[in-house]
Amino acid sequence: MWKGCVAASDKASRDFLAANKDQIALMPWSSQARGFFLRADPAFTGDAELTRCWYSEDNFQRYARAKELAKAKGVLPIQIALAYVLNQPFRTFPLIGPRQISETMSSLKGLDIKLSPAEVAYLNLEAAKAAG
């Protein structure tokens, strides 16, 4: 995303973290993708950093899947995004950046959302359809 950033979202990194879950925890920064899952719209380019960092065909597919799961679970896509990070097969301590107390309160609901491994894979474009 930014020069010098190290990502741990590829399969090899996720497999390593899962294999070493008792020794290593991931502290993902920007766990809710800077609000992408609230305001993703290819026509909206008013936030240059959001557009530069998060606008990709894969992420718009992830957003569509997050909206689908959110509707089925009666929650918001941004809450599904946080649940995705929390439901990894390794320890995570997601860093979020709410700007208002209402954003904090909304994010807290993501703590209670349980996602199956199939739903996690589906959100990460690893499966055609979530089981369940």
Side-chain angles (χ1 to χ4, degrees), residues 17-63:
L17 290 164
N20 294 282
K21 65 183 175 190
D22 293 331
Q23 292 84 31
I24 299 173
L26 182 66
M27 295 179 71
W29 181 58
S30 198
S31 295
Q32 292 176 302
R34 199 167 183 221
F36 176 82
F37 290 90
L38 277 177
R39 53 192 179 139
D41 179 350
F44 171 73
T45 57
D47 183 331
E49 280 297 290
L50 180 74
T51 302
R52 185 180 69 76
C53 296
W54 300 104
Y55 278 33
S56 71
E57 182 59 35
D58 282 354
N59 282 344
F60 281 111
Q61 287 180 35
R62 288 181 180 100
Y63 176 59

Side-chain angles (χ1 to χ4, degrees), residues 8-128:
S9 56
D10 59 279
K11 182 171 177 13
S13 294
R14 291 190 326 267
D15 288 348
F16 174 82
L17 290 164
N20 294 282
K21 65 183 175 190
D22 293 331
Q23 292 84 31
I24 299 173
L26 182 66
M27 295 179 71
W29 181 58
S30 198
S31 295
Q32 292 176 302
R34 199 167 183 221
F36 176 82
F37 290 90
L38 277 177
R39 53 192 179 139
D41 179 350
F44 171 73
T45 57
D47 183 331
E49 280 297 290
L50 180 74
T51 302
R52 185 180 69 76
C53 296
W54 300 104
Y55 278 33
S56 71
E57 182 59 35
D58 282 354
N59 282 344
F60 281 111
Q61 287 180 35
R62 288 181 180 100
Y63 176 59
R65 291 176 179 205
K67 285 188 350 184
E68 176 187 319
L69 279 178
K71 184 176 180 182
K73 293 178 179 289
V75 298
L76 299 173
I78 193 80
Q79 295 160 343
I80 292 290
L82 183 56
Y84 168 82
V85 175
L86 291 166
N87 283 270
Q88 294 298 312
F90 46 84
R91 292 184 214 184
T92 63
F93 297 91
L95 304 173
I96 61 172
R99 295 180 184 174
Q100 301 172 16
I101 193 68
S102 60
E103 292 174 352
T104 302
M105 299 308 291
S106 175
S107 292
L108 290 176
K109 293 177 183 177
L111 297 171
D112 297 326
I113 299 170
K114 300 299 178 212
L115 298 176
S116 70
E119 289 170 325
V120 169
Y122 178 67
L123 289 168
N124 199 38
L125 309 181
E126 298 169 31

